[in-house]
């Protein structure tokens, strides 16, 4: 299988009208600075490489950048960090508008017997340690998408428990629904991870997306 590049992934997100923050690929520190100035601060810079899946683990992500000077420095630092990964191919550095809110995860894995299985959960320890996730087989309707969200234990956090900001549940359900449609139509895509999706009281946006294909048409 092959990891799609940022440009290829963005094209598919746009095709299915998936919400994502303003994002562009920079090929130099000067370009990173120009893009950041255009998008508006704060921004986050992330490595785009088919050989680096877990960007944060290799120092491939620098967040909360608030000036052009810092954007240029972050570009060079990420390139240096990625250079420590032997034979890693680098497409460039993604410059993205920074989003604030609660992190959730939406994903899909194509099963040979059952078809595309959709997954939803809250980010961080809720997925990694508590395994607090819900599943459905695509296609699903909006009621099923809402059920997926409500049945995880972390749902109370999305409702605004303990003083946290109430999340836009309909916006999350909309992303799950669109992923369901994508999974049915794009049969060459075997796995998708939207991790994280940042949700707040107004909206939900996919800030990092990974797609794996069997072959590219």
């Amino acid at each position: 299988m092959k990891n799609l590049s940022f440009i290829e992934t963005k094209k598919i997100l746009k095709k299915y009208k998936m919400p994502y923050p303003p994002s562009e690929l920079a090929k130099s520190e000067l370009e990173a600075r120009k893009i950041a100035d255009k998008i508006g601060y704060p921004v986050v810079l992330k490595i785009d490489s088919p050989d680096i899946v877990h960007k944060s683990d290799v120092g491939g992500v620098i967040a909360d950048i608030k000036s052009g000077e810092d954007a240029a420095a972050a570009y060079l630092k990420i390139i240096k960090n990625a250079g420590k990964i032997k034979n890693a191919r680098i497409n460039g550095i993604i410059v993205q508008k920074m989003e604030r809110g609660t992190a959730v995860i939406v994903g899909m894995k194509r099963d040979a017997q059952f078809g595309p299985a959709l997954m939803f959960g809250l980010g961080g320890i809720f997925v990694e340690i508590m395994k607090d996730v819900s599943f459905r087989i695509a296609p699903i309707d909006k009621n099923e998408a809402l059920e997926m969200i409500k049945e995880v234990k972390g749902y109370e956090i999305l409702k605004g428990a303990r003083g946290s900001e109430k999340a836009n549940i309909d916006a999350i359900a909309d992303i799950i629904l669109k992923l369901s449609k994508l999974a049915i139509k794009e049969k060459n895509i075997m796995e998708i991870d939207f991790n994280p999706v940042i949700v707040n009281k107004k909206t939900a946006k996919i800030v990092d997306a990974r797609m794996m294909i069997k072959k590219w048409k």
Side-chain angles (χ1 to χ4, degrees):
M1 290 201 287
K2 169 194 166 186
N3 276 316
L4 293 187
S5 69
F6 166 72
I7 297 295
E8 292 166 331
T9 301
K10 189 176 174 182
K11 184 178 177 182
I12 293 173
L13 293 177
K14 189 175 181 180
K15 178 179 178 181
Y16 288 89
K17 299 181 179 177
M18 299 276 196
Y20 58 90
S23 314
E24 293 185 32
L25 193 67
K27 300 281 190 178
S28 69
E29 66 269 32
L30 178 60
E31 200 172 5
R33 184 171 188 157
K34 286 182 178 178
I35 293 170
D37 285 343
K38 183 174 71 174
I39 287 176
Y41 297 93
V43 297
V44 56
L45 266 63
K46 301 183 283 190
I47 188 79
D48 180 33
S49 167
D51 305 308
I52 300 174
V53 175
H54 302 292
K55 302 179 179 74
S56 297
D57 293 350
V58 300
V61 179
I62 298 178
D64 208 16
I65 296 166
K66 296 175 179 172
S67 72
E69 185 178 342
D70 288 346
Y75 178 98
L76 295 173
K77 187 172 183 180
I78 292 174
I79 291 293
K80 183 179 179 181
N81 291 340
K84 298 174 184 174
I85 310 301
K86 190 176 180 181
N87 298 326
R89 295 162 291 173
I90 299 172
N91 298 325
I93 304 296
I94 302 164
V95 182
Q96 183 180 77
K97 179 75 175 177
M98 194 162 171
E99 298 291 330
R100 300 191 189 278
T102 301
V104 302
I105 298 173
V106 179
M108 183 279 294
K109 187 170 185 178
R110 198 172 298 280
D111 182 88
Q113 183 176 358
F114 298 106
L118 308 173
M119 184 275 287
F120 168 79
L122 267 68
I125 62 169
F126 288 93
V127 167
E128 295 167 5
I129 297 175
M130 298 172 65
K131 309 299 181 188
D132 182 22
V133 294
S134 58
F135 295 95
R136 292 291 187 284
I137 300 297
I140 62 170
D141 59 25
K142 185 171 182 179
N143 286 334
E144 291 172 290
L146 290 170
E147 285 174 5
M148 287 181 70
I149 299 166
K150 291 176 181 177
E151 69 186 45
V152 299
K153 295 180 180 68
Y155 177 59
E156 293 300 318
I157 293 174
L158 298 177
K159 286 172 62 182
R162 301 182 68 85
S164 59
E165 184 183 65
K166 189 175 180 180
N168 188 328
I169 303 298
D170 281 341
I172 304 172
D174 184 61
I175 289 175
I176 299 174
L177 265 181
K178 287 174 178 174
L179 178 61
S180 173
K181 292 176 183 174
L182 186 161
I184 294 299
K185 292 185 177 179
E186 307 289 344
K187 298 186 185 302
N188 62 321
I189 299 180
M190 307 307 288
E191 292 184 26
I192 295 175
D193 283 322
F194 296 155
N195 182 16
V197 174
I198 298 296
V199 57
N200 53 45
K201 64 182 180 182
K202 293 182 179 178
T203 186
K205 292 188 178 179
I206 301 162
V207 303
D208 201 37
R210 183 174 71 93
M211 297 187 184
M212 296 187 71
I213 62 168
K214 194 170 185 178
K215 61 180 180 180
W216 184 247
K217 292 183 177 179

